[in-house]
Amino acid sequence: MGSVWPYGLCCDHRATPLGTDASAPLLSWRLSGADPVACLVEVDGLWSSGRLDDPAAIGVRYAGPPLRPRTRYTWQVTLWAADGTSSTARSWFETGQGDWTAAWIAADPDAVEHVDPPTEGDLALRDHGLAACPQLRRAFETRSPVAAARLYVSAKGLYEARINGHRAGDAELAPGWTDYRRRIQYQTYDVTSCLTEGENVLAVTLADGWWSGFAGFDPRRPGYHYGTFPELIAELHLTYADGSAEIVATGDGWRAGRGHVRYADLLKGECHDLRAATPGWRLPGFDDTSWSPAVVTGHDHAPLVPSLDEPVRAVRDLAPAAVTRTGPGTHLVDFGQNLAGRVRLAVPALEPGSRVTIRHAETLDAEGGLDTANLRTADATDVLISAGPATVFEPGFTYHGFRYAEITGVEVLGEVKAVVLHSDTPQAGTFACSDPELDQLQRNIEWGQRGNFVSVPTDCPQRDERLGWLADAQVFLPTACLNADVAAFFAKWLRDVRDAQTPQGGFPNVAPRLSGVAEEGAPGWADAGVLIPWHLYRVYGDPRFLDVDSMAAWVDFVRRHNPDLIWRARTGPHYADWLSPGPATPRELLATAFFHRSADLTARAAQVHGRTAEAERMRALADDIRAAFIKTFASAPGRLTGDTQTGYLLALAFGLLPPEWIVPAARRLAELVGEHGPQTGFLGVNLLCPVLSEHGHADLAHALLNRTAPPSWRYQVRRGATTVWERWDGAGAPSMNSFNHYAFGSVGEWLYGGVAGIAQAPDSVAYRELVIRPLPGDLTWARATYESVRGRIAVSWERGGGDFHLAVTVPPGASATVHLPDGQTHQVPSGDHTFRTTEETTA
Ligand code: BGC
C-alpha cells in the first residue's frame, strides 16, 4: 500500500511538444510508487476522461472537442492508489499550424551562381557546381509589446532561421528528411523573447540538404533527388499584449542575397568564404536594397505536416583526445571517439584569403594519415576562407562520420571541438557489468545508435550512403528501444516507410524513398514495415503503431506473387543474410521465414485492433506458410536445408517448427555455433544470443560474447573500436567497410535481457509482465536500468563467495517472473525485491 505518482508526462511520446498534430493526441505518463487503481485525465477544462478504473493505464487518447490550431493546452493526470490516496501531475502541449497562408519562396534560381568548389591542394572535391546558400530576409515593424510569438517554418532543403540575430530553436538539419514529394515537416518555435519593439528582422539561410544536395550513392545525378534549389516557407504569428494578432509570412516583400556560405552539402562538406560575408544581414537596419526580391515559387501547403519527433540537435561537444602536428600548418586531431557531427574550430587572424581545411575520417592509414577510402564520393571536407580577423568556424548544414580530423592552414591550433549531432532521443537505459570489454561494447553500441539516428535511422554516417535501410533498423530496433526512448523518432520514420509503400503493397529497401536504390524491398528489409510497428507496439503500448491495412497489403503482395507460399518471386534485390561470414542461408528459406513472420505479426496486429476476420485470415495464411516451409525446407526432423545458423535462428525465433523439432533444431544450432563461432549476417545476428539462451544454451551465448577471434564482438573492441563495424572483422573492400554500422550491435538487447536480465514476457505489452532472468556467465556483477513506458525497471546482481545476490525494481502496475541461476522461480508484484541464493550454477 502507498501512493502512486505520475511522472514523465508526454503528448504523442514527446514531453511538452510545440506544434503537435491536433487530432487526438495520446496523453501518457509513467508511474512511480504503488500500483494505481484508477486514472483521470483532464485537458484545460475542455475535456475529462472521467475516472477510469484501469490499473494498467499509462495513457489516454484525447477524445474531446476538436482542438484549435496554434493553441497551448494544459492537461493533468490524477492517479489513485488502492489506499485511496491520489496524486496529480500537470503538463502541456501546443497544437501546430492550422491552414497556411504563406507562399514558398526562393532566391531567384536563374540568378544562382554555381560555385566550383576549390580543388587545389589535397582537396578531393569533385567539380559538381554546388550553389551558394541563399539568404532570405524580411524586415517588419511591431506595433506594441509582443506577448507571444511562434515561428512555423520549413524548407525544401535545410534552413536556419533567426529573428534579430537570435536563433529560432536549436534544431539542426531541419526540417529533417522525408520524401518531400509526399510530406514535409515543419517546426514550431517559441520566439517571443527574440522580438523587440520597432523594426525586427526574420532572416533565414537555406541549404540543399537531402532535398537538392547529394544523398545516397546514385552516381547518375548531381544531387537533385527531390528538387534543384532550396525553398523556404515560414509564418511568424505575433500576438500583441492587447490581444491583436499579426502574421509575417513568406511571400512578396522578401529580399534574397548570398553571403559567406559558398556551398553546403551533406556529403561534400561546407565552405565559408568570410570575404563574401554580409555582416549584420540578420539584424534590423541592414541595407538590403542591393539584394533581389525573393521569388514566390508556389503555394502548395499539402505536404506540410508538424514534426512528429524531436529534431537533430548538437547534443554535446567532445574535446580532442590527442592533437599531433603533422607538418607545416597541419594538425591531426583524434577525438578518441567515432561519431557523427562536425568540428568547431577557433581560427586565428590570418591573411585574407587564407584557407583552412578540415578533412574527416574514421580511421588512419598505415602512414598515420587520414584513411578516407571508405568515404567513397563523400568528400566530407569543410573549408574556411579567412577575411583576416580571428573567428570561430563551424559548418551548419553538413555532418560527417569521423573520429579523426586533419586541419590544414593554421600554424597554431586554437580550441577545437567535435560537435556531436543526432536526433534527440531521450536516454532510456543503462548497462554495466564486471567486464570492461563488454562495457566498451555497450558504449560502442550507444555511439553507433547516436551516429546513425540522424533524422532517419541510417546504415552509416560517413560514406555516400547514409540511407534509411529497413533491415538495419529492424534488427537493431530492440536494442535501440532499450538505450533510448525512440517512440517519436520511429513514429516519424514509420510514416516515411509507409509513404514509400507502393500502391500494390510493396515496402521498400530504404525510407525515405530515394531514386538510385532498388525500390522493391528484399526479404528482411521490406518486412521491417511489419516487424518494426509490432515491436514498437509491444514496447510502447500504442496501437497506432499498428497500421493493419499497410501490414496486410505487404503480406498480400508477397502472397499474390508466390501462390505456393514459398517466397521466390518479387524478392527485390534479395540481399540474403547480408555480410554473413559463413555458408549462405538458402535464399528461399530465409525469405519464406520472413514471409511467415510478417503474416503472423499482421494477424496479431489485426487482433489488437479487434479486426477478427482479418486476424483469422492472416493467421490461416501464416499457418499455411509454416506448413509450406516445413514441407520444403526440412531435410530431416529438426534439420533444415542449408544447415546454417541463420536458418535455424529464423525458424526457432519465428515459431516455424513443429514442437518436437524445436529441441533438435536448437541442438543443431548450438553445434554449429560451438564449431564455427557466429556465422550470421545482418538477418540472424540479433537472434543469436536470445535464441541460444532461450533454448538452454546461455553458456554458448556467453562464449560468443567472450570470443576474441573474428568474427566476434570482442575482436572489434580489442582492435580499439569505439562504434560497431559494418563487417564482423572490419576487413573488406574499403567501399563497403564502414566503422559505424549498428546491425551487429543488435546484441545490445541481450546485454540488457540476457546478461543483466531485463526483458518483457512474450505476450506482454508496455512492460506489464517482466521476465527477470539474469544469466551471469563468468561475470561477477551486472546492472541495468530501463526507463520503460510504464516506469523505472532496474536489475542489479552480484556474486561472490558462493552467493548470488539480485535486486530488482518492478514498476507500478507490472509484475515479474524472476528466474534465479539456481533454477528457483519467483512471481513478484511491483516494487523493490531482493533475492539471495547460494547456488553457483550459472548460465
Ligand atoms: C548498406 C547496408 C544495407 C545494404 C543492403 C549497404 O550498402 O550499408 O547496411 O542494408 O546495403 O544490403
Side-chain angles (χ1 to χ4, degrees):
M1 292 287 268
S3 303
V4 56
W5 296 276
Y7 74 99
L9 276 58
C10 280
C11 171
D12 281 341
H13 306 290
R14 295 166 73 192
T16 57
L18 273 181
T20 59
D21 183 350
S23 43
L26 171 69
L27 304 172
S28 64
W29 54 88
R30 293 185 161 97
L31 304 164
S32 67
D35 289 341
V37 292
C39 65
L40 168 73
V41 172
E42 293 159 291
V43 180
D44 245 359
L46 192 68
W47 177 72
S48 164
S49 66
R51 182 180 153 124
L52 303 170
D53 294 316
D54 178 359
I58 48 170
V60 167
R61 291 282 300 282
Y62 172 80
L67 297 171
R68 292 184 306 279
R70 297 185 299 277
T71 305
R72 179 168 299 200
Y73 292 93
T74 53
W75 65 281
Q76 63 180 41
V77 55
T78 303
L79 299 181
W80 284 269
D83 66 2
T85 57
S86 68
S87 69
T88 298
R90 289 180 186 77
S91 188
W92 57 264
F93 62 90
E94 194 173 300
T95 53
Q97 175 66 305
D99 295 333
W100 287 77
T101 55
W104 289 95
I105 61 169
D108 184 354
D110 296 331
V112 168
E113 171 199 359
H114 282 270
V115 180
D116 289 343
T119 49
E120 69 251 41
D122 49 8
L123 277 183
L125 288 166
R126 294 185 312 171
D127 178 5
H128 39 58
L130 296 168
C133 288
Q135 299 178 159
L136 300 163
R137 76 187 299 275
R138 163 80 198 260
F140 58 95
E141 298 279 331
T142 55
R143 293 194 309 264
S144 68
V146 173
R150 294 288 182 274
L151 180 64
Y152 304 92
V153 56
S154 189
K156 295 173 177 173
L158 305 178
Y159 70 82
E160 191 214 72
R162 289 184 183 237
I163 293 177
N164 301 327
H166 304 291
R167 179 104 186 251
D170 56 3
E172 300 288 344
L173 308 178
W177 189 5
T178 51
D179 182 343
Y180 302 102
R181 297 163 294 205
R182 303 289 302 267
R183 211 180 284 275
I184 303 176
Q185 303 198 104
Y186 68 85
Q187 283 74 39
T188 303
Y189 303 114
D190 180 349
V191 291
T192 313
S193 64
C194 304
L195 289 147
T196 57
E197 273 194 73
E199 189 184 341
N200 288 265
V201 173
L202 173 53
V204 182
T205 307
L206 295 179
D208 289 317
W210 295 279
W211 163 262
S212 49
F214 287 82
F217 47 65
D218 185 353
R220 294 165 307 175
R221 59 181 68 228
Y224 301 161
H225 280 274
Y226 303 98
T228 54
F229 57 88
E231 299 170 47
L232 169 72
I233 193 160
E235 279 185 27
L236 174 62
H237 285 246
L238 305 172
T239 309
Y240 291 108
D242 64 7
S244 62
E246 194 177 340
I247 301 174
V248 178
T250 46
D252 293 332
W254 282 67
R255 308 289 292 170
R258 310 268 164 180
H260 65 279
V261 188
R262 303 299 282 168
Y263 60 84
D265 185 86
L266 291 168
L267 298 183
K268 305 298 171 190
E270 189 159 323
C271 175
H272 292 190
D273 184 348
L274 296 185
R275 297 167 305 177
T278 48
W281 75 277
R282 296 186 287 212
L283 300 175
F286 178 81
D287 179 7
D288 62 15
T289 47
S290 66
W291 288 23
S292 316
V295 178
V296 171
T297 51
H299 294 85
D300 182 10
H301 304 136
L304 286 165
V305 292
S307 266
L308 279 190
D309 62 340
E310 294 300 314
V312 174
R313 292 194 170 101
V315 175
R316 67 170 102 170
D317 290 350
L318 288 188
V323 178
T324 317
R325 188 180 159 88
T326 51
T330 305
H331 294 83
L332 184 70
V333 182
D334 175 4
F335 290 101
Q337 176 60 55
N338 200 15
L339 59 96
R342 59 202 181 208
V343 168
R344 183 171 62 237
L345 174 69
V347 179
L350 296 170
E351 275 298 305
S354 308
R355 194 180 299 275
V356 178
T357 304
I358 310 177
R359 297 167 60 232
H360 305 76
E362 291 185 297
T363 56
L364 300 179
D365 61 21
E367 283 75 51
L370 297 188
D371 186 347
T372 56
N374 72 346
L375 303 185
R376 303 198 305 219
T377 67
D379 296 296
T381 300
D382 299 327
V383 178
L384 175 85
I385 302 172
S386 174
T391 187
V392 174
F393 175 41
E394 180 181 345
F397 302 106
T398 189
Y399 79 99
H400 315 295
F402 66 102
R403 167 175 170 170
Y404 301 94
E406 183 205 71
I407 302 174
T408 50
V410 277
E411 283 304 324
V412 180
L413 202 63
E415 187 178 61
V416 56
K417 291 277 169 67
V419 180
V420 179
L421 297 181
H422 59 84
S423 284
D424 200 0
T425 52
Q427 183 176 0
T430 62
F431 168 86
C433 70
S434 54
D435 183 334
E437 289 184 340
L438 288 188
D439 286 354
Q440 183 64 46
L441 173 62
Q442 167 66 16
R443 278 195 294 279
N444 294 358
I445 293 167
E446 290 171 5
W447 275 102
Q449 179 163 340
R450 292 185 190 110
N452 281 300
F453 281 11
V454 180
S455 186
V456 305
T458 64
D459 55 339
C460 56
Q462 74 298 93
R463 68 183 178 219
D464 56 354
E465 188 148 359
R466 311 185 193 183
L467 299 173
W469 285 100
L470 268 70
D472 305 43
Q474 175 258 113
V475 301
F476 188 66
L477 179 72
T479 299
C481 290
L482 288 159
N483 287 329
D485 179 347
V486 296
F489 177 75
F490 273 97
K492 179 266 174 190
W493 187 64
L494 271 187
R495 283 203 316 206
D496 299 333
V497 171
R498 288 176 192 139
D499 281 350
Q501 190 171 19
T502 65
Q504 294 72 35
F507 281 121
N509 289 300
V510 300
R513 189 182 281 285
L514 193 80
S515 42
V517 184
E519 297 205 337
E520 191 161 295
W525 269 254
D527 298 286
V530 174
L531 273 61
I532 289 180
W534 178 253
H535 190 77
L536 292 169
Y537 165 67
R538 285 204 55 221
V539 170
Y540 298 111
D542 184 349
R544 293 176 302 172
F545 284 119
L546 303 174
D547 180 337
V548 177
D549 292 331
S550 152
M551 296 161 97
W554 164 246
V555 175
D556 284 331
F557 170 82
V558 179
R559 183 189 49 77
R560 246 189 340 270
H561 295 286
N562 297 279
D564 68 353
L565 305 184
I566 299 303
W567 187 5
R568 299 185 184 89
R570 308 300 293 264
T571 53
H574 209 322
Y575 298 117
D577 186 16
W578 185 247
L579 299 184
S580 151
T585 299
R587 294 154 78 87
E588 293 167 5
L589 178 152
L590 180 145
T592 306
F594 275 100
F595 181 24
H596 172 268
R597 182 67 169 163
S598 285
D600 175 27
L601 296 184
T602 303
R604 298 191 213 189
Q607 200 60 58
V608 170
H609 282 293
R611 290 176 55 177
T612 313
E614 187 67 335
E616 281 167 9
R617 186 176 78 86
M618 281 291 150
R619 172 64 45 226
L621 176 59
D623 290 346
D624 291 347
I625 300 169
R626 187 162 164 267
F629 179 94
I630 294 163
K631 188 157 159 263
T632 313
F633 303 116
S635 46
R639 282 295 176 106
L640 294 174
T641 316
D643 198 30
T644 67
Q645 293 181 16
T646 295
Y648 292 112
L649 287 166
L650 297 176
L652 287 162
F654 296 171
L656 278 155
L657 301 178
E660 65 280 12
W661 288 10
I662 291 175
V663 170
R667 196 181 306 128
R668 181 60 190 149
L669 169 68
E671 281 166 14
L672 291 171
V673 171
E675 265 171 54
H676 306 287
Q679 291 185 313
T680 63
F682 281 21
L683 292 185
V685 62
N686 57 323
L687 305 174
L688 256 176
C689 291
V691 169
L692 283 170
S693 58
E694 177 68 29
H695 294 281
H697 300 288
D699 52 340
L700 264 180
H702 273 288
L704 287 180
L705 277 185
N706 285 336
R707 187 184 157 95
T708 54
S712 73
W713 291 286
R714 219 175 268 258
Y715 174 76
Q716 301 186 358
V717 169
R718 291 204 173 172
R719 294 281 303 268
T722 59
T723 38
V724 176
W725 300 345
E726 178 173 26
R727 294 169 180 273
W728 279 110
D729 57 4
S735 59
M736 273 287 305
N737 198 19
S738 142
F739 292 95
N740 197 354
H741 242 74
Y742 51 50
F744 289 135
S746 55
V747 69
E749 179 190 14
W750 199 73
L751 295 180
Y752 284 93
V755 176
I758 293 183
Q760 188 173 193
D763 292 326
S764 162
V765 172
Y767 287 89
R768 194 119 199 252
E769 290 159 50
L770 312 184
V771 175
I772 307 294
R773 189 201 305 261
L775 300 168
D778 54 12
L779 299 167
T780 52
W781 62 266
R783 49 177 178 263
T785 62
Y786 177 55
E787 196 61 52
S788 81
V789 72
R790 183 170 301 281
R792 188 166 187 274
I793 302 171
V795 170
S796 166
W797 59 258
E798 61 186 315
R799 68 205 307 202
D803 266 0
F804 182 88
H805 182 250
L806 171 69
V808 178
T809 302
V810 179
S815 62
T817 308
V818 179
H819 300 265
L820 297 175
D822 65 359
Q824 284 184 54
T825 301
H826 301 270
Q827 199 65 41
V828 297
S830 66
D832 295 332
H833 308 276
T834 55
F835 306 87
R836 191 178 289 277
T837 67
T838 48
E839 200 80 11
E840 267 288 292
T841 12
T842 56

